[in-house]
Every structure is written in structure tokens, then in C-alpha cells.
């Protein structure tokens, strides 16, 4: 939870996580929602900022497809659930 925005190379991490998924496995990612405030300014340890759409783009690049979206209701975060898209080679 709330790791991806701290990583210098989130693409590499997402690819590694995707490779580690077993068939039917799911990847849950919770990050601050940059639509509700600049998350990098909120926490200077953040090196990336995400919206649901930008996270989907990153996930799709890694061969994942979105299954669910949940707003954290804390006003700053969201959670996306992904699974490996077996029709795509990442």
C-alpha cells in the first residue's frame, strides 16, 4: 500500500509484480489520487503522482487489466485491482 509513488522506476516494479502473478492472481495498488491535490507536494518523498487513468496506462503497459476501482474515501487515495491480461505479452 502506497509504495508505487515512492519508486524511481515504477515501470520496472510493475513489470516484476506482473511476472510474479500466478494465473488468477490479482495485484492491488493503492496510491494518492493526484486529482485531489498535488501528491508530490503533500509528501516530498513521492517521486510520481497518479490518477486512476494514469495508473491504468502504466498497468496496461505491463500486461495488466483493471478489474475494480475503489475510492479510499479519505479524500486523497484510491485503490485499483488488476489481473494479468493473458492475451498480452508484457
Amino acid at each position: 500500500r502506497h509504495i508505487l509513488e515512492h519508486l524511481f522506476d515504477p515501470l520496472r516494479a510493475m513489470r516484476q509484480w506482473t511476472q510474479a502473478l500466478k494465473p488468477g492472481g490479482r495485484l492491488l495498488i493503492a496510491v494518492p489520487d493526484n486529482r485531489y491535490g498535488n501528491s508530490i507536494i503533500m509528501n516530498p518523498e513521492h517521486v510520481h503522482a497518479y490518477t486512476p487513468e494514469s495508473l491504468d496506462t502504466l498497468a496496461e503497459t505491463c500486461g495488466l487489466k483493471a478489474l475494480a476501482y475503489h475510492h479510499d474515501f479519505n479524500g486523497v487515495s484510491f485503490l485499483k485491482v488488476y489481473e494479468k491480461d493473458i492475451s498480452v505479452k508484457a
Side-chain angles (χ1 to χ4, degrees), residues 32-42 46 49-51 75-76:
D33 192 335
N34 208 57
R35 297 175 302 173
Y36 299 110
N38 188 327
S39 65
I40 293 175
I41 291 174
M42 273 192 318
H46 293 175
Y50 298 97
T51 64
V76 296

Side-chain angles (χ1 to χ4, degrees), residues 49-70:
Y50 298 97
T51 64
E53 296 79 17
S54 68
L55 186 60
D56 283 347
T57 299
L58 178 62
E60 289 167 9
T61 299
C62 297
L64 296 167
K65 64 180 178 180
L67 295 178
Y69 164 84
H70 303 279

